[in-house]
Amino acid sequence: DARVTQTPRHKVTEMGQEVTMRCQPILGHNTVFWYRQTMMQGLELLAYFRNRAPLDDSGMPKDRFSAEMPDATLATLKIQPSEPRDSAVYFCASGLVLDEQFFGPGTRLTVL
Amino acid sequence: GDSVTQMEGPVTLSEEAFLTINCTYTATGYPSLFWYVQYPGEGLQLLLKATKADDKGSNKGFEATYRKETTSFHLEKGSVQVSDSAVYFCALSGYMNYGGSQGNLIFGKGTKLSVKP
């Protein structure tokens, strides 16, 4: 049963610290997405990749967030420095073009 | 750009009641349409989908019909259960912005459903 995996599942950190979240997409999927979910804003698309190339990162605060795919089995989302307003659940999803997306279980981030 | 509008929640129903969650969309071209469900503490998972006009997607007693004439994809279930309590998201595959990248899913804001015994 192929699944998207995310680590860590929970992260508590202090303001100013660097946070790195990792995602392993489903093998064979060529599109990877990063989302952020909060009560106030709902589900927001931060960035997405196709065939490891970034296609759209317009939803991401450029000064502190960065997303990469060093290889086909790993996507990373980094926040440096983190701020309390970054507290949210971050989801990774993978899929094929114009088809359904498979979501991971999320990383719950709390920045104190 | 393309967009999805779904009814605001929360929706509270008694067990065995009929459920409708409205979803309308604006899109260029001929998108596929999806309903996702998010149970507490979990990621979103696909509930059903339809890829062309007049298609009906169905799963777990839920169904939705792709209506091009009314640009709608309303979710229905004849008899809800407590276990259906979750947040439901309508989505379409299409363009984020005019001239933008294709291939993303555009989500509505979600509708929270609570079913009471």
Side-chain angles (χ1 to χ4, degrees), chain A residues 52-99:
Chain A
R52 296 176 53 205
L55 277 197
D56 190 340
D57 62 0
S58 58
M60 210 159 63
K62 298 291 190 304
D63 55 339
R64 299 183 299 108
F65 284 59
S66 61
E68 295 180 345
M69 277 202 76
D71 62 60
T73 64
L74 177 65
T76 62
L77 179 67
K78 189 174 295 186
I79 308 174
Q80 168 62 21
S82 58
E83 298 181 2
R85 58 180 168 152
D86 301 328
S87 297
V89 181
Y90 291 81
F91 289 105
C92 174
S94 71
L96 298 170
V97 178
L98 293 180
D99 206 344

Side-chain angles (χ1 to χ4, degrees), chain A residues 9 33 35 37 43 45 48 50 55-56 91 97-101 103-105, chain B residues 32 34 36 38 41-44 46 49 89 93 96 101-105 107:
Chain A
R9 292 293 312 276
F33 305 84
Y35 292 91
Q37 187 177 40
L43 192 66
L45 176 68
Y48 73 102
R50 182 166 307 138
L55 277 197
D56 190 340
F91 289 105
V97 178
L98 293 180
D99 206 344
E100 68 175 285
Q101 294 179 17
F103 280 72
Chain B
S32 294
F34 305 82
Y36 279 78
Q38 184 180 28
E42 298 183 10
L44 280 70
L46 181 69
K49 70 177 182 181
F89 293 87
S93 62
M96 281 290 291
S101 299
Q102 188 184 31
N104 186 31
L105 290 186
F107 287 90

Side-chain angles (χ1 to χ4, degrees), chain B:
Chain B
D2 296 353
S3 65
V4 172
T5 303
Q6 60 182 106
M7 63 187 284
E8 301 232 353
V11 174
T12 302
L13 296 174
S14 297
E15 208 164 23
E16 299 184 3
F18 184 86
L19 169 71
T20 300
I21 300 178
N22 290 338
C23 172
T24 58
Y25 67 90
T26 302
T28 53
Y30 303 95
S32 294
L33 301 174
F34 305 82
W35 276 101
Y36 279 78
V37 60
Q38 184 180 28
Y39 298 104
E42 298 183 10
L44 280 70
Q45 54 186 277
L46 181 69
L47 181 60
L48 54 85
K49 70 177 182 181
T51 57
K52 61 183 188 297
D54 299 326
D55 267 2
K56 178 186 285 189
S58 61
N59 186 25
K60 300 180 181 180
F62 291 89
E63 46 181 48
T65 302
Y66 189 162
R67 302 280 189 205
K68 194 170 190 303
E69 64 276 14
T70 55
T71 62
S72 65
F73 192 55
H74 304 320
L75 182 68
E76 297 183 336
K77 187 175 185 183
S79 176
V80 294
Q81 306 300 312
V82 172
S83 57
D84 294 326
S85 298
V87 180
Y88 292 82
F89 293 87
C90 184
L92 66 82
S93 62
Y95 291 89
M96 281 290 291
N97 302 291
Y98 287 117
S101 299
Q102 188 184 31
N104 186 31
L105 290 186
I106 297 165
F107 287 90
K109 292 189 180 298
T111 302
K112 183 175 182 179
L113 171 66
S114 296
V115 181
K116 307 296 184 189

